[in-house]
Amino acid sequence: MNLVLSVGVTLITLAVILGCFALVIQTRKSEKYKEATEQTLGHEFDGIEEYDNPLPRWWFNLFVITIVFGLVYLMLYPGLGNFQGLLGWSSKGQYNTEMAYADEHYKPVFEKYAALPIEEAAKNPVAVQMGQRLFLNNCAVCHGSQAQGGHGFPNLGDNDWLYGGAPDTILATITNGRTGGMPAWGDALGEDGIEDVANYVLSLSGQPHNTDAAARGQANFQALCTACHGPDGKGQQALGAPNLTDNIWLYGGSFADITQTLRNGRAGAMPAHKDLLSADKIKLLTAYVYSLSHK
């Protein structure tokens, strides 16, 4: 949190506390009336009127105690960006302390199993379990808890890999991330051309299609798509271009899904984890992912 934001949050917090205090004090002004006054506040609902009696002293005292507690707490544990309390505590400092403790106590454990070759670690039950926990904490939100993927997120349990499934390739993917892009061809092909190419793509994987449309779409496919997917449509792992001849689809393999992909393109991103996880943790995570397709 930068200095300006820290000051702003501090001032707002103090303003709220002082505002609450002023409001509570205001409720005591009606003490000029007797405790058992017959004067009302002038409004009525369903025959019920509210007397203008002061806030009970015990209730008023509880509010004051709460406000004092808030001010004391703010001085001791502010946790507002660049400001630390009288005790020198901050949430960032506590996080760093806990991370340092974890590194000191658990780093040797990670180092022990990360020293194994990835193929060997993938067969070690303890290493795989450690990798699975890392996966659940860092990867399951996209790939699912069982690594079966979803729409736009690849299944990691099969043998179909966009960039390759070798241990070093998986390690590079997790470490540095991946950015994939499928250009939009809607303007270049027009709607009829999109449907023709979609039928040709369906034919590559043996799915039901319009034969005449597929024949027309083949020429456009050869002109526009082979640079990435190859002349036979089997893709290129070096580019992350998927194989179109199998029945595994990242964004769906129906006619509607394929036309949507051709018309508007696709943009996929796998985040880099090199700044999130240590090299040892990434290696154990790699071993777990590798084990999923090498039972």
Side-chain angles (χ1 to χ4, degrees):
M1 187 182 296
N2 60 46
L3 180 60
V4 175
L5 188 56
S6 295
V7 173
V9 172
T10 302
L11 293 177
I12 291 173
T13 303
L14 289 173
V16 171
I17 292 176
L18 295 177
C20 290
F21 181 72
L23 181 61
V24 170
I25 294 297
Q26 182 68 24
T27 65
R28 301 298 297 175
K29 286 187 174 182
S30 58
E31 284 189 333
K32 60 185 179 181
Y33 303 113
K34 298 177 181 179
E35 288 292 330
T37 180
E38 295 295 324
Q39 184 167 343
T40 68
L41 293 175
H43 55 258
E44 174 265 336
F45 178 77
D46 198 20
I48 300 173
E49 295 181 280
E50 182 180 357
Y51 288 114
D52 189 12
N53 287 327
L55 189 69
R57 184 166 294 278
W58 65 267
W59 199 346
F60 170 80
N61 290 338
L62 283 179
F63 276 120
V64 172
I65 291 172
T66 302
I67 290 170
V68 171
F69 174 83
L71 291 171
V72 173
Y73 186 90
L74 189 63
M75 289 188 294
L76 295 178
Y77 303 98
L80 298 177
N82 301 311
F83 299 111
Q84 291 187 343
L86 298 178
L87 298 180
W89 179 91
S90 69
S91 57
K92 182 178 180 180
Q94 181 176 342
Y95 171 80
N96 290 334
T97 299
E98 292 177 356
M99 292 301 295
Y101 176 87
D103 286 340
E104 179 182 355
H105 287 77
Y106 304 122
K107 187 177 181 181
V109 180
F110 286 109
E111 289 178 340
K112 173 183 176 181
Y113 291 100
L116 300 172
I118 292 175
E119 295 93 329
E120 186 176 340
K123 299 176 183 178
N124 186 296
V126 177
V128 169
Q129 187 178 52
M130 293 170 67
Q132 183 183 29
R133 290 172 179 168
L134 290 168
F135 180 89
L136 291 174
N137 287 332
N138 296 277
C139 313
V141 66
C142 292
H143 294 282
S145 59
Q146 301 299 317
Q148 297 303 302
H151 186 76
F153 303 102
N155 179 359
L156 303 179
D158 56 23
N159 285 308
D160 190 83
W161 298 88
L162 288 175
Y163 294 93
D168 289 343
T169 305
I170 299 174
L171 181 67
T173 297
I174 297 175
T175 301
N176 302 313
R178 300 286 185 181
T179 301
M182 160 73 184
W185 297 109
D187 293 338
L189 293 173
E191 194 58 30
D192 290 340
I194 291 291
E195 294 182 0
D196 289 345
V197 174
N199 275 284
Y200 178 70
V201 171
L202 287 171
S203 74
L204 292 175
S205 55
Q207 297 188 75
H209 60 279
N210 183 306
T211 304
D212 293 336
R216 294 192 300 269
Q218 182 176 9
N220 282 327
F221 181 91
Q222 295 297 326
L224 301 174
C225 310
T226 56
C228 294
H229 295 284
D232 53 4
K234 293 187 176 181
Q236 298 186 65
Q237 289 184 342
L239 300 175
N243 181 0
L244 303 178
T245 64
D246 56 22
N247 200 29
I248 298 176
W249 302 89
L250 189 59
Y251 294 98
S254 68
F255 179 77
D257 290 329
I258 296 173
T259 55
Q260 173 76 1
T261 298
L262 289 168
R263 186 182 302 111
N264 300 315
R266 299 288 185 181
M270 158 74 183
H273 286 71
K274 59 184 177 182
D275 296 327
L276 302 174
L277 300 173
S278 66
D280 292 337
K281 291 180 180 179
I282 288 177
K283 191 171 181 182
L284 287 171
L285 182 54
T286 299
Y288 172 71
V289 173
Y290 183 78
S291 73
L292 295 174
S293 56
H294 294 78
K295 301 294 184 181

